[in-house]
Amino acid sequence: ESGARSLQRVHVDLVAVLDAIVADARFEAESSQREIAWTPPPTMPIQADPHWLAAAIENVIRNALRYAPTGSCVDVTLSADATSAQAVLVVRDRGPGVETDQLGRIFEPFYRVAEARERSSGGAGLGLAIAARVVRAHGGSTTAARAEPGLAVTMTLPLNPPAR
């Protein structure tokens, strides 16, 4: 929490941040016979702390890879919502998903769905909580939804206002 309060916001291209994270995560995905689908859009400027933002996004992508079945794909999509002036990042796996009544709780510190499964994966229940707090500190939001099969985590972040 103390790190999220000391954000150093600078001009960041969200696409470049995602490119670097996805390139790194692809090595892990390939070693476990999974894929990451990512087609970068044009540049997407935001004001953010690149260190904290990258850590938050990486937590979500690595969490998706952890639960994606062997031979499956994790989809990473980024779009701009002009109406709300938000960048919308969606990370979707095809794993077991989360029960509807637990979707909001997965962003709570130390909350773990299916505790035995989490223990075997080494999870402590902090990755998604950290990601949600960092995104909130940037003025955005993080939500999760069932995606049959799997889970879709959506992170929204304010876009830079257009230059006048």
Side-chain angles (χ1 to χ4, degrees), residues 66-130:
R66 183 178 297 126
Y67 294 108
T70 300
S72 70
C73 183
V74 169
D75 297 318
V76 178
T77 58
L78 178 64
S79 60
D81 181 343
T83 304
S84 65
Q86 298 278 314
V88 181
L89 170 63
V90 180
V91 178
R92 180 191 187 258
D93 66 55
R94 287 167 177 76
V98 174
E99 294 300 321
T100 303
D101 63 337
Q102 296 178 356
L103 287 171
R105 299 204 61 204
I106 64 174
F107 300 109
E108 295 175 9
F110 305 110
Y111 184 78
R112 298 186 304 184
V113 177
E115 188 173 337
R117 183 184 71 201
E118 280 287 336
R119 192 176 298 126
S120 69
S121 71
L126 287 174
L128 292 178
I130 291 168

Side-chain angles (χ1 to χ4, degrees), residues 9 107 129 131-142 156-157:
R9 294 177 196 236
F107 300 109
R133 286 186 181 197
V134 168
V135 169
R136 191 169 44 251
H138 281 87
S141 65
T142 307
T156 61
L157 294 158

Side-chain angles (χ1 to χ4, degrees), residues 27-63:
F27 288 112
E28 178 184 331
E30 290 169 4
S31 71
S32 60
Q33 301 174 353
R34 293 166 180 87
E35 294 181 22
I36 298 177
W38 160 243
T39 303
T43 184
M44 196 167 297
I46 63 171
Q47 291 290 318
D49 183 309
H51 168 76
W52 283 108
L53 184 61
I57 294 169
E58 185 173 15
N59 275 334
V60 173
I61 290 174
R62 294 206 184 270
N63 190 69

Side-chain angles (χ1 to χ4, degrees), residues 12-23 38 46 49-50 53-55 57:
V12 175
D13 178 9
L14 186 53
V15 174
V17 171
L18 271 161
D19 274 340
I21 294 167
V22 169
W38 160 243
I46 63 171
D49 183 309
L53 184 61
I57 294 169

